[in-house]
Amino acid sequence: LSRLTYLADALLLLSRIDAGILPLEQTDTDVYTVLMLAADQIRELCLKADVSVRIPEMEEIVISADLEWTMEAVINLMKNCMEHSDGGTVRCSYAQNPLYTEILIWDDGEGFAKEDLPHLFERFYRGKNAGEGGIGIGLALAKEIVEKQDGHITVDSREGEGTVFFLRFLKGGR
């Protein structure tokens, strides 16, 4: 029942994004806060999977973004890393340059197959190493949320070495 509820909610959210009616409140949002709140939301799942989340507290870096929706995107990326890290650690870092703020979320897990990489952010796509219970919507949802905020998301992964997600938010936002 919870899987069906999540699927219905995710599909409704994607429909709202497609229709351009998802309200995004662009406010100054601290990156460390986004990461910590997202990690807190998946704490129980991490405990069950024996996975830790490491987020260094660095200098304050602020992005212009919607806190709740950005946190939702980050949760989906963290969950993906958690599900593929096999009792390891999900790591995060962030930095800023004159053009954009970059957030990295990565694991040292099994990684994605090379043939899966071009399709990871497609709706309902499930790669060859997809775990049980996944529906192939979390990464697509994360991508849509980030892009609606003048951001960009990419991935680098190697089988047996892990995966890193790169989120880049343009300075100044919208």
Side-chain angles (χ1 to χ4, degrees):
L1 184 59
S2 64
R3 274 188 76 212
L4 287 174
T5 301
Y6 172 77
L7 178 59
D9 289 345
L11 290 172
L12 286 171
L13 177 56
L14 283 169
S15 295
R16 289 172 60 199
I17 291 171
D18 289 344
I21 58 172
L22 180 69
L24 294 170
E25 295 181 25
Q26 302 286 181
T27 59
D28 285 347
T29 305
D30 177 55
V31 173
Y32 179 75
T33 300
V34 171
L35 293 171
M36 289 302 292
L37 290 172
D40 192 51
Q41 291 292 312
I42 63 166
R43 183 181 320 274
E44 291 296 318
L45 292 172
C46 287
L47 287 172
K48 287 180 186 175
D50 193 30
V51 171
S52 62
V53 178
R54 302 268 188 249
I55 304 167
E57 187 169 4
M58 300 161 46
E59 67 180 270
E60 182 180 52
I61 294 179
V62 174
I63 57 174
S64 179
D66 185 292
L67 174 62
E68 294 298 319
W69 289 117
T70 304
M71 194 173 74
E72 179 70 24
V74 169
I75 287 169
N76 286 332
L77 299 175
M78 285 180 173
K79 279 175 59 178
N80 189 282
C81 287
M82 177 203 71
E83 291 166 355
H84 296 278
S85 65
D86 194 30
T89 302
V90 174
R91 291 178 175 79
C92 305
S93 70
Y94 49 98
Q96 195 168 55
N97 65 40
L99 299 176
Y100 56 82
T101 299
E102 182 173 64
I103 302 169
L104 280 67
I105 301 170
W106 74 94
D107 64 71
D108 297 322
E110 62 195 30
F112 290 104
K114 187 175 183 177
E115 62 268 19
D116 290 336
L117 291 177
H119 307 287
L120 287 181
F121 296 106
E122 293 175 10
R123 295 176 190 184
F124 307 112
Y125 182 80
R126 293 177 35 92
K128 81 174 196 182
N129 295 330
E132 291 294 318
I135 54 178
I137 204 149
L139 295 180
L141 189 57
K143 180 180 186 282
E144 293 289 337
I145 290 169
V146 169
E147 288 182 352
K148 291 296 180 197
Q149 299 182 91
D150 290 332
H152 188 68
I153 184 170
T154 57
V155 63
D156 184 26
S157 184
R158 291 179 178 84
E159 281 189 275
E161 295 181 27
T163 300
V164 60
F165 292 100
F166 301 86
L167 291 85
R168 291 184 177 144
F169 292 89
L170 296 177
K171 283 190 82 175
R174 292 184 184 258

